[in-house]
Amino acid sequence: MKRYIVILCAGAAAAAAWASGVAGQTPPHGTPQPAVPYAVSYAAGWNLISGTGYPTISGADGPLYTQRPGDTGYRSIAPTQSLAPGYGYWAYFDQPSTQFYFRQAGQCVTQVLPAGQWVLVGDPNSEPLSVHGADVLYTWDAVRGTYAVALSLVPGQGGLAISLAGGTLTFGSAAPGSSCGIVPTITAGQ
């Protein structure tokens, strides 16, 4: 049983339904979004999720929790707040939930990982991405209730990353240190 299912809603009915709500709005990071979203399904229970910077989470039971670079513990985030690209969030759903995200292919995000600190990270795109720069990346299987070592994340999936010596975490197919255009960098305390 797979915990993440990605459905591209390319049909006219799906696009029209979504367009009546939020299509064409501009997210906080300033990039206009296409009208066609994609859907990610989450199992009931705790899920380690991500976002592209615009969507809010519906159906979560209580706040979301994240741990960013420089944080000394988890911080709570209202499910009505936008999910910052590149961050991971714990979300609890009392029943299976489908969340809709805008497509964000090709978004390149980096994070500064403080030495020895666990940070919640997330796939900021609508495509699977490799993760470079962490010594270990764990994902969470909500169905089995277990962590698994990973080298990549799928759309809507978050992970728990650490760099023992500190460094820069990069999402994408680009090798560490390569240029990928304008790169929003997530630093301590943001």
Side-chain angles (χ1 to χ4, degrees):
M1 174 179 266
K2 294 185 181 184
R3 127 183 99 133
Y4 293 96
I5 301 167
V6 178
I7 305 163
L8 296 178
C9 302
W18 186 257
S20 66
V22 294
Q25 293 182 11
T26 302
H29 54 79
T31 305
Q33 303 298 305
V36 180
Y38 63 96
V40 178
S41 295
Y42 298 104
W46 285 103
N47 288 268
L48 195 46
I49 69 170
S50 71
T52 61
Y54 182 77
T56 59
I57 298 300
S58 62
D61 187 19
L64 308 179
Y65 297 94
T66 190
Q67 185 162 343
R68 298 178 178 178
D71 285 352
T72 57
Y74 284 108
R75 64 169 78 179
S76 64
I77 305 288
T80 56
Q81 284 186 270
S82 295
L83 304 183
Y87 287 131
Y89 301 86
W90 282 109
Y92 184 83
F93 299 104
D94 59 3
Q95 59 187 2
S97 178
T98 299
Q99 302 297 317
F100 293 93
Y101 298 91
F102 285 108
R103 291 185 193 187
Q104 277 283 356
Q107 184 172 214
C108 184
V109 176
T110 64
Q111 283 196 27
V112 175
L113 295 178
Q117 181 193 351
W118 290 100
V119 176
L120 290 176
V121 300
D123 183 344
N125 288 287
S126 61
E127 57 194 25
L129 293 176
S130 56
V131 178
H132 308 279
D135 291 321
V136 177
L137 172 67
Y138 288 113
T139 57
W140 176 252
D141 186 325
V143 174
R144 294 186 182 111
T146 60
Y147 287 99
V149 175
L151 299 174
S152 62
L153 297 172
V154 298
Q157 184 180 32
L160 189 59
I162 191 169
S163 172
L164 298 177
T168 302
L169 181 93
T170 303
F171 300 92
S173 56
S178 67
S179 173
C180 54
I182 300 171
V183 180
T185 299
I186 300 169
T187 56
Q190 286 187 321

